[in-house]
Amino acid sequence: MRTIRVETSAATILLTEAPEPKVRDRQSGEIAKDAVSGEALMTIGVVYIEEGESSLIKVTVPESGVSEGLALGAPVSLPGLVARPWESVFNGQQRHGIAFRAAAVTPAAFPAAMGATA
């Protein structure tokens, strides 16, 4: 399926869930790996705020892309963020959604307030 680049320059992104290993198989506890590199994958939770609207999303990042110094509630940057629509059938029911993936998650600064004076 097609991936869609997500432009984040006008957004504020706050970390809401610390990085955790992405589980591929809940029964066996197998950790998900990148199909190309074989690197372990992690998931994070963020709130994505843009133009007065917000969304809670989960983002997958490679383990090597998780930076030190991440703090819950703090702003983060998600370089290379893409969205990919998905569909599957589970227990006879069709499900669909959007999966988000980034090359990394790094600490960021709050954007400067519009019209603020120093």
Side-chain angles (χ1 to χ4, degrees):
M1 287 203 164
R2 178 181 166 90
T3 59
I4 303 160
R5 274 183 262 149
V6 179
E7 174 57 49
T8 61
S9 63
T12 299
I13 305 169
L14 306 175
L15 186 66
T16 59
E17 294 178 29
E20 295 182 345
K22 182 174 183 171
V23 178
R24 180 172 190 229
D25 183 334
R26 291 183 186 167
Q27 291 182 345
S28 70
E30 179 185 359
I31 302 301
K33 307 268 187 202
D34 182 90
V36 175
S37 70
E39 182 176 2
L41 297 174
M42 307 289 284
T43 59
I44 59 166
V46 298
V47 61
Y48 185 97
I49 307 165
E50 187 174 23
E51 295 182 3
E53 294 187 19
S54 64
S55 298
L56 288 170
I57 61 172
K58 294 266 191 185
V59 180
T60 299
V61 295
E63 189 172 32
S64 65
V66 177
S67 296
E68 295 291 324
L70 297 174
L72 292 180
V76 293
S77 176
L78 297 170
L81 183 63
V82 294
R84 185 173 64 214
W86 60 268
E87 290 182 1
S88 68
V89 176
F90 184 74
N91 287 338
Q93 291 187 320
Q94 187 162 3
R95 300 177 63 182
H96 57 87
I98 300 173
F100 293 92
R101 181 147 179 185
V105 55
T106 61
F110 282 107
M114 298 294 284
T117 56

